Amino acid sequence: MFDNIISFIDRHSSFILTTHDSPDADGLGAEAVLTSILKKKGKETKIIHSSPIPGYLDFIKEGFEIEQWDPDKHTPLLENSALLVLDTSDEHHLGSIREAVKKVKETFSIDHHDPKKTEKLNGLVDPSASSVSELSIELACAMGIELDPFTATAAYAGIVSDSGFFAYPKTSMRTFKAAMKTLEWGAAPNLIYKQLMENSSCASILLQKQALSSLEFHAGRKIALMVLRWEDFEKAEAQFDEVENTVNIPLKAKEVEVSILLKEKEQGEIFCSLRSKGTLNVSKIAQNFGGGGHVTAAGFRTYIGIEETIKKLLACVESRLDM
């Protein structure tokens, strides 16, 4: 399973690691693992992102240096480096660093999202895995490499984040085996729970309150819709990434099958998060708008405005619920 990625590692001496724009715990956890693997193999590594890490994940980045993409600074590094992309196989999800794809010696991606029909980066895609952190732990084991406690903890954070603390449909025996291996290496589950679930700001709670106040039900309460406009973030004095789990709240209602959260940025860009209980594949919905994800968790970005997004999105979801 890992022959291609191991060959890729063996072929090169210098690597740039990155993940999708708006990094999450899974992408960061996998980067921590791959950085450890590469260093143990005597490789030069550098982690570069298109955008900053969300504040609630600062605890993960404390163990290694992460730079933000700067064409003037980083372009000279590309011709002698290989690019390793984690948690996406679609270069359009990389943000500004995607210009590096055609300038590096070779690119390889490791991903676990449901594949799209559009062109994707060469690499390993395993939709049966709950997370790329899970795949990364399996890779480390296949290569006979042990990880330090910090790296194991970062990987555990990625695993529980993308498996919903072992509750999402893709959670399997593989998921638990990978998590157990991180515990053997010194991962700290209670620390991760506190950092991911008990580390919110008061501003984020106010923002969550605003999101719930906008809650509407559609299609006989099968669809829950929440909207946060840019002025809501300003009023709460909250960061854009401080509503990570809000979209999941309406799924607590037994009638709701799909939950939607739209977030508006200052420049007019709309971020959409989609969650389902599995009766509807929201990855297919997101792909219609240029995004992607999993059966139960997906998302996309658009500039068509909130009202137009709501109109088109509800029509798309309702038509599929009627199938």
Side-chain angles (χ1 to χ4, degrees):
M1 177 179 178
F2 296 112
D3 289 347
N4 288 342
I5 177 62
I6 293 173
S7 295
F8 172 75
I9 291 172
D10 289 341
R11 281 196 297 274
H12 303 285
S13 60
S14 180
F15 293 83
I16 293 173
L17 277 63
T18 195
T19 185
H20 50 77
D21 201 12
S22 298
D24 60 18
D26 187 27
L28 292 170
E31 284 181 334
V33 175
L34 266 298
T35 296
S36 182
I37 289 173
L38 291 169
K39 287 185 175 180
K40 287 178 181 292
K41 296 287 287 184
K43 312 291 184 177
E44 294 183 7
T45 64
K46 188 178 289 291
I47 301 175
I48 306 175
H49 292 168
S50 291
S51 55
I53 293 174
Y56 75 99
L57 294 175
D58 279 346
F59 72 99
I60 295 181
K61 75 175 184 180
E62 291 176 1
F64 50 94
E65 183 179 356
I66 299 176
E67 300 180 22
Q68 195 164 339
W69 172 248
D70 180 340
D72 294 333
K73 177 182 178 182
H74 295 126
T75 297
L77 304 175
L78 301 181
E79 64 178 354
N80 293 316
S81 300
L83 181 66
L84 183 53
V85 177
L86 300 168
D87 205 26
T88 183
S89 56
D90 187 338
E91 65 179 89
H92 296 291
H93 292 165
L94 295 179
S96 57
I97 199 175
R98 66 177 176 268
E99 64 184 85
V101 171
K102 293 180 174 59
K103 298 177 182 179
V104 293
K105 296 173 73 173
E106 187 180 3
T107 299
F108 195 98
S109 67
I110 305 177
D111 192 19
H112 72 120
H113 293 91
D114 297 327
K116 297 170 65 174
K117 294 180 181 179
T118 55
E119 292 185 11
K120 57 180 182 294
L121 299 170
N122 292 326
L124 168 65
V125 179
D126 183 0
S128 67
S130 71
S131 64
V132 173
S133 294
E134 175 183 311
L135 284 170
S136 299
I137 292 297
E138 291 178 344
L139 173 62
C141 292
M143 297 178 71
I145 293 176
E146 293 189 10
L147 304 177
D148 61 87
F150 169 81
T151 304
T153 297
Y156 183 88
I159 291 170
V160 298
S161 176
D162 261 37
S163 69
F165 284 88
F166 310 108
Y168 292 164
K170 286 188 178 182
T171 301
S172 67
M173 184 64 73
R174 290 174 63 187
T175 312
F176 286 104
K177 285 182 177 179
M180 288 176 64
K181 182 57 69 172
T182 68
L183 298 186
E184 288 180 23
W185 289 331
N190 184 248
L191 168 65
I192 295 306
Y193 182 83
K194 288 181 177 180
Q195 293 287 352
L196 294 180
M197 305 302 293
E198 299 178 344
N199 196 33
S200 299
S201 67
C202 290
S204 72
I205 303 300
L206 291 173
L207 201 58
Q208 189 174 89
K209 173 185 174 183
Q210 180 59 36
L212 288 171
S213 73
S214 73
L215 177 62
E216 296 178 354
F217 294 107
H218 299 268
R221 296 194 171 185
K222 292 181 180 179
I223 302 171
L225 172 69
M226 296 178 290
V227 176
L228 286 170
R229 300 180 184 273
W230 177 246
E231 52 263 33
D232 296 325
F233 289 91
E234 290 186 307
K235 183 178 180 180
E237 297 182 348
Q239 299 298 313
F240 193 73
D241 54 43
E242 291 195 277
V243 284
E244 178 70 15
N245 295 310
T246 302
V247 66
N248 295 307
I249 296 175
L251 293 178
K252 294 180 179 180
K254 63 181 180 180
E255 299 95 337
V256 174
E257 295 182 20
V258 180
S259 179
I260 302 169
L261 174 63
L262 298 179
K263 301 185 296 179
E264 180 185 43
K265 267 199 164 183
E266 185 178 15
Q267 302 87 347
E269 187 176 15
I270 308 300
F271 284 63
C272 176
S273 295
L274 297 155
R275 299 292 186 271
S276 84
K277 292 176 178 174
T279 52
L280 180 70
N281 186 339
V282 291
S283 175
K284 300 296 184 184
I285 299 293
Q287 288 177 23
N288 287 341
F289 294 85
H294 307 285
V295 172
T296 59
F300 65 85
R301 303 178 187 185
T302 181
Y303 281 95
I304 62 175
I306 286 181
E307 303 307 326
E308 188 67 14
T309 301
I310 291 174
K311 179 182 176 182
K312 292 184 176 181
L313 185 55
L314 285 177
C316 185
V317 175
E318 287 176 4
S319 67
R320 291 178 178 269
L321 281 174
D322 292 338
M323 290 181 179

